[in-house]
Amino acid sequence: MSTVEIDLENWSCPLPLRDYPRVVLGHGGGGQLSAELIENIFLPAFRNAELLTLADSTVLNVPPGRLAFSTDSYVVNPLFFPGGSIGELAVHGTVNDLAMSGARPLYLSAAFILEEGLEIKLLAAIVERMARAAREANVHIVTGDTKVVEKGKADGCFITTAGIGILPEGPFPAPFRAQPGDIVLVSGTLGDHGMTIMSVREGLDFQTTLETDSAPLYDLVAAMMRVSTEIHVLRDPTRGGAASSLNEIAAASKVGIQLEETAVPVRPQVSAACELLGMDPIYVANEGKLIAIVAPQDAAAVLAVMKAHPLGKNSAKIGQITSQHPGMVVAKTSIGATRILPMQIGEQLPRIC
């Protein structure tokens, strides 16, 4: 665990949990050990009024508007990596899925599948990272569940989060709304998260710093929506990268997408790592970037807002929507040729989020 950013040796864990330094099956049994795990690990980290009721379900006050609802599971390996952990991913992934509908994330649930033998202090570190990410995203984790499986039946810790958010009346961004003439924008460099996981998992030393881009995107989305009501599509290009996300949009909207390959931002170290491993950064996963498809008259204003935001300073215009080759994504290369970017077949790098 050399890549864990916290100092686990000096980390203060709220033990004793009946003096168990590691998770045992009884921690998922619903009895006294489960109660102690909740009292000592989860409640101090996630504390909020809704969670403290400890009821079978949580009653929520929701402002007027329409609800967006999303869920996702996180099985990333390793659990900690440069710039993040499974804890941050479990929050960022779900709040970003809500934000891609234009919804302001409000509440999350969190379900943990723990492997017998997982160190309690490691679980506490994951939960603390998760709680910090929730505070930064301005969401409350209001309900949850914990199960423990036998040693060898999981890989330390899996987390499932579900979230609800609120969005105002009116059209909302959706994959089927791209129109010919729209402009394709991206909020920053591609491939950072995927290559970070690859380097840690495989023990590769690229003699450079790779770090996940995992981040909550709603604040950026809100800034964009304040200057335009014509943001037709938002998408966070996670598994399968930007190429797969754009293929899904092209298919849903029945349009073609023309990219300028040289305009796609990629960090030099990510580009070098991809070249070494024979990978294409446009297919590599991201956890803190978005693709926006915007009406042409609003594209410049939206791009300016994106560039002014800390999470969008490397934003770029990378292409446009066309009525030609519907359902396909085509890239113009640096030498003036064109190539088709098909939907990724299978998974380039499993267990990435």
Side-chain angles (χ1 to χ4, degrees), residues 195 206 266 268-281 284:
M195 294 316 299
F206 297 116
V266 180
Q269 55 267 46
V270 171
S271 180
C274 284
E275 186 173 350
L276 179 67
L277 298 171
M279 302 173 72
D280 188 337
V284 178

Side-chain angles (χ1 to χ4, degrees), residues 219-247:
D219 190 62
L220 172 61
V221 169
M224 296 163 62
M225 295 180 71
R226 282 194 289 270
V227 299
S228 176
T229 59
E230 296 294 330
I231 300 173
H232 294 155
V233 184
L234 290 172
R235 196 65 181 262
D236 58 334
T238 55
R239 289 176 298 172
S244 294
S245 293
L246 290 169
N247 270 280

Side-chain angles (χ1 to χ4, degrees), residues 46-245:
F46 298 152
R47 182 175 298 275
N48 56 71
E50 295 88 352
L51 182 62
L52 290 176
T53 63
L54 294 179
D56 285 343
S57 63
T58 299
V59 178
L60 303 173
N61 293 314
V62 180
R66 293 171 296 176
L67 288 178
F69 181 36
S70 184
T71 189
D72 208 342
S73 296
Y74 301 88
V75 297
V76 65
N77 179 32
L79 297 176
F80 291 83
F81 41 83
S85 72
I86 190 173
E88 288 98 333
L89 282 182
V91 172
H92 295 160
T94 295
V95 300
N96 288 347
D97 284 345
L98 294 169
M100 293 307 106
S101 294
R104 175 166 64 90
L106 296 176
Y107 300 109
L108 297 181
S109 70
F112 294 80
I113 305 296
L114 306 177
E115 182 180 6
E116 181 187 19
L118 177 69
E119 288 187 85
I120 292 288
K121 64 180 182 181
L122 196 60
L123 171 62
I126 291 169
V127 170
E128 185 60 37
R129 294 284 195 97
M130 201 171 173
R132 185 176 64 192
R135 289 193 296 271
E136 292 171 353
N138 200 26
V139 295
H140 286 176
I141 297 172
V142 296
T143 189
D145 185 44
T146 304
K147 296 290 191 303
V148 179
V149 297
E150 298 92 335
K151 192 172 183 61
K153 297 293 180 65
D155 201 357
C157 175
F158 299 153
I159 303 174
T160 295
T161 50
I164 60 174
I166 195 83
L167 69 162
E169 296 298 326
F172 57 90
F176 57 82
R177 293 192 59 211
Q179 301 173 20
D182 284 354
I183 303 300
V184 182
L185 308 175
V186 66
S187 66
T189 54
L190 298 181
D192 297 357
H193 178 71
M195 294 316 299
T196 298
I197 298 296
M198 170 71 87
S199 65
V200 175
R201 188 184 301 170
E202 303 301 329
L204 300 176
D205 182 6
F206 297 116
Q207 295 184 330
T208 186
T209 302
L210 293 175
E211 189 170 285
T212 180
D213 60 349
S214 183
L217 293 171
Y218 176 71
D219 190 62
L220 172 61
V221 169
M224 296 163 62
M225 295 180 71
R226 282 194 289 270
V227 299
S228 176
T229 59
E230 296 294 330
I231 300 173
H232 294 155
V233 184
L234 290 172
R235 196 65 181 262
D236 58 334
T238 55
R239 289 176 298 172
S244 294
S245 293

